[in-house]
Amino acid sequence: MAKKLARALSAFCLIPLASAVSAASLPDYQTNSDWFTEASDRLEERTSLSREAKTAKNVILFVGDGMGISTLTAARILEGQLAGESGEENALSFEEFPHTALIKTYNTNQQTPDSAGTMTAMMTGVKTRAGIINIDGDALRGDCASTEGRELNTFLEMVESRGKATGIVSTARLTHATPAATYSRSPERNWEYDAEGNCSDIASQMVEMAAGDGIDVMLGGGRRSFVTIDNGGKREDGRDLTSEWLERYDGDQTAVYVSSGSELKGVDIASTNKLLGLFTGSHMSYDADRIFKGSDEPSIAEMTDTAIELLEKDSDGYFLMVESGRIDHGHHAGNAYNALHDAIAFADAVQVALDKVDLADTLILVTADHSHVMTIAGYPTRGNPILGKVVENDSTGAAQSEVGLAADGKPYTTLNYANGLGFADLGENTDADERYKIAADTGRKDLSKVDTEAPGFHQEALVHLESESHAGEDISLHAIGAGAELVQGSLEQSAVFHVMTTATDLSLTEE
Ligand SMILES: [Zn+2]
């Protein structure tokens, strides 16, 4: 295995490039990138120690956007408490996977990363700048001309061009940074429905993907980037990409486009070759809202289930990426309730995959792209509601009967953010300057009569930022199934690409 990788790498330098974006072979600046070679060498070392014989036919990569370690811990506790238990002893579905690694997430130009740069590392083996999708770090963000000759090919494109099946599922817009990094190239993650210079927008790249015969199943949010303004979308070029996508397969394969959860349930998978589901204009609902409002959107578990059903029809194998995009959004809003409930829904989707696949030929990876600044703090007693106010133990170690008070005489919650919107009692005030003034005058809000476990509660924050930020510490990678033993120790995020190519024995050059 290790030898094959080395051979593939050395042989590659002799092959002239037909096109930078032909995914059959990787361009030499991709395979010669230090990010690429160092992560690959490191993995080769590990491989020689403990590689088992199993090769993965299928890979499912689960990405919890913004699901840092504190999010894992808090979601695990909440899931246990929702089941009537103390919570701390609970484990999310993937936390019992046999192999785990820590992942370093920084971008080439940023200590605390963004999702475009981090997903590029996972999908291409090369780290890049924040905000840039699948173009190496020598390009400038937002500068189309700087991308020429720097485009990177993705694991999904390689799998697709080798005749296997591919799929993407996301609760965010399918053109948002994480899913976009499986199939597109853009110097600006925000060019979802239009672009500058000779660059093309991300949505059109999704339906036109040249590798193989395109992505086989795509389920998520973001319809607005695919339809015209007249049809409630954002496109000013008059194109309707959903009908263009259907026409691409006309007379050739059975392609089905759905736009609601009930339509998705009605799809006859046996007779469907290609499936596109765009369930909302922008991002899909937070899972708690989806359930509470009874909106006609599939859950992330249902989308995962349908995607696997369709992909496993291909006997050559498949690659599926499943993103829970809104864990990140809950955190950015300073709202742990939604972040944690979406993390639990994400763990349910992983369980669906575990129940469906054969781990003898399938590798399941579960990871995040980056962390968030949420902390689990104070000394709450065992079983204290994770979204609640801190109740400490007394001097004998038994739970107090009243909530604990901080030095300012006010109660405080276990979960807090280092920064974001929840920095003071702002009332209804939305003016930024006013907010600073109020914060200086009033200090911390008094939570005595506030239900901190309610869906809309925003945890307190120390530093005032209009949006809570990502965090720079390591995240985790969990693995089970064929090739899972590659996942161990502390790895650069670009190693995730090599875990997938090594586990599947995927040649880096055209065969
Ligand atoms: Zn984010």
Side-chain angles (χ1 to χ4, degrees):
M1 169 69 50
K3 244 187 241 157
K4 176 153 189 178
L5 188 66
R7 190 154 30 86
L9 283 166
S10 63
F12 185 79
C13 303
L14 306 171
I15 299 169
L17 269 183
S19 155
V21 292
S22 155
S25 298
L26 299 178
D28 55 0
Y29 54 83
Q30 183 165 356
T31 52
N32 292 338
S33 154
D34 287 347
W35 298 112
F36 196 97
T37 55
E38 277 166 26
S40 150
D41 290 350
R42 192 78 192 278
L43 212 63
E44 219 173 294
E45 251 170 59
R46 293 177 193 288
T47 312
S48 59
L49 292 177
S50 66
R51 182 83 174 101
E52 287 161 23
K54 283 181 212 150
T55 297
K57 188 172 80 168
N58 315 307
V59 177
I60 307 179
L61 173 64
F62 283 93
V63 181
D65 198 312
M67 189 182 67
I69 306 240
S70 62
T71 304
L72 278 189
T73 308
R76 161 208 308 164
I77 294 172
L78 179 61
E79 187 188 62
Q81 292 182 342
L82 290 170
E85 292 153 13
S86 174
E88 297 85 357
E89 67 294 331
N90 184 44
L92 297 170
S93 58
F94 52 89
E95 289 188 291
E96 287 173 340
F97 283 11
H99 296 277
T100 312
L102 287 173
I103 299 289
K104 293 146 76 172
T105 64
Y106 64 99
N107 299 139
T108 58
N109 67 335
Q110 214 162 279
Q111 204 162 52
T112 295
D114 96 315
S115 299
T118 53
M119 193 59 172
T120 294
M122 288 192 261
M123 292 309 298
T124 69
V126 176
K127 289 201 178 201
T128 190
R129 294 180 189 230
I132 291 186
I133 294 171
N134 296 333
I135 294 165
D136 78 22
D138 291 336
L140 303 176
R141 181 170 182 175
D143 181 353
C144 184
S146 74
T147 67
E148 215 190 306
R150 299 195 167 101
E151 299 98 337
L152 306 169
N153 292 325
T154 75
F155 180 72
L156 181 142
E157 292 172 304
M158 293 168 72
V159 169
E160 180 62 44
S161 67
R162 282 157 182 73
K164 294 187 175 204
T166 55
I168 56 173
V169 165
S170 178
T171 53
R173 296 191 294 269
L174 286 177
T175 50
H176 209 236
T178 303
T182 64
Y183 61 81
S184 75
R185 278 160 282 276
S186 180
E188 173 52 65
R189 58 179 285 173
N190 294 322
W191 290 351
E192 294 180 59
Y193 49 85
D194 58 12
E196 292 171 16
N198 289 326
C199 288
S200 58
D201 66 272
I202 292 166
S204 63
Q205 291 186 57
M206 189 180 105
V207 298
E208 290 168 352
M209 194 185 84
D213 61 354
I215 308 171
D216 301 283
V217 51
M218 302 175 275
L219 303 172
R223 195 187 309 121
R224 70 184 196 187
S225 293
F226 296 84
V227 298
T228 60
I229 290 175
D230 291 346
N231 288 317
K234 292 272 191 185
R235 298 199 71 86
E236 292 180 6
D237 58 6
R239 292 174 68 185
D240 184 316
L241 299 181
T242 60
S243 44
E244 284 185 26
W245 179 81
L246 286 167
E247 280 157 24
R248 177 175 179 178
Y249 302 106
D250 195 25
D252 196 21
Q253 303 190 63
T254 307
V256 176
Y257 167 58
V258 294
S259 58
S260 69
S262 37
E263 281 177 18
L264 183 69
K265 279 199 182 82
V267 173
D268 177 26
I269 296 296
S271 65
T272 303
N273 306 114
K274 298 273 182 280
L275 178 60
L276 170 63
L278 296 169
F279 303 106
T280 47
S282 182
H283 303 301
M284 292 175 70
S285 298
Y286 287 115
D287 199 63
D289 286 346
R290 182 185 66 79
I291 295 165
F292 181 71
K293 293 176 186 159
S295 71
D296 192 4
E297 297 169 52
S299 67
I300 186 170
E302 287 166 337
M303 292 194 287
T304 302
D305 185 72
T306 305
I308 294 173
E309 294 264 319
L310 195 143
L311 295 172
E312 69 187 7
K313 294 200 301 174
D314 190 329
S315 56
D316 297 326
Y318 62 83
F319 169 61
L320 171 64
M321 191 288 297
V322 179
E323 186 211 19
S324 173
R326 309 220 63 198
I327 299 169
D328 179 67
H329 299 158
H331 281 320
H332 278 307
N335 175 245
Y337 182 98
N338 279 326
L340 300 187
H341 278 271
D342 270 41
I344 293 169
F346 175 68
D348 292 344
V350 176
Q351 186 62 49
V352 163
L354 271 175
D355 293 343
K356 281 185 102 73
V357 306
D358 180 358
L359 293 173
D361 66 4
T362 304
L363 171 64
I364 299 181
L365 299 172
V366 181
T367 191
D369 47 359
H370 55 74
S371 185
H372 271 273
V373 298
M374 187 186 79
T375 56
I376 305 172
Y379 296 102
T381 189
R382 177 81 189 270
N384 197 55
I386 188 66
L387 292 164
K389 291 164 220 168
V390 171
V391 174
E392 296 179 0
N393 288 330
D394 65 19
S395 56
T396 72
Q400 302 264 21
S401 54
E402 301 285 331
V403 298
L405 301 178
D408 60 7
K410 296 174 183 173
Y412 60 102
T413 53
T414 305
L415 301 182
N416 291 289
Y417 289 97
N419 60 42
L421 277 174
F423 72 108
D425 189 356
L426 301 168
E428 296 296 298
N429 213 307
T430 53
D431 181 82
D433 289 342
E434 278 297 303
R435 285 169 158 187
Y436 281 114
K437 232 192 286 164
I438 294 168
D441 292 349
T442 63
R444 232 160 54 79
K445 55 183 132 182
D446 185 355
L447 298 174
S448 305
K449 296 196 172 65
V450 176
D451 177 6
T452 64
E453 297 177 57
F457 178 71
H458 292 245
Q459 275 70 24
E460 290 184 277
L462 174 65
V463 175
H464 179 212
L465 293 183
E466 289 296 313
S467 174
E468 179 268 2
S469 81
H470 297 174
E473 81 275 3
D474 295 354
I475 50 87
S476 56
L477 171 63
H478 309 258
I480 194 169
E485 70 282 355
L486 293 165
V487 172
Q488 49 180 303
S490 175
L491 301 169
E492 288 287 355
Q493 203 154 32
S494 42
V496 174
F497 173 87
H498 296 286
V499 167
M500 297 191 292
T501 55
T502 306
T504 51
D505 208 1
L506 194 80
S507 159
L508 298 182
T509 54
E510 198 163 11
E511 279 160 350

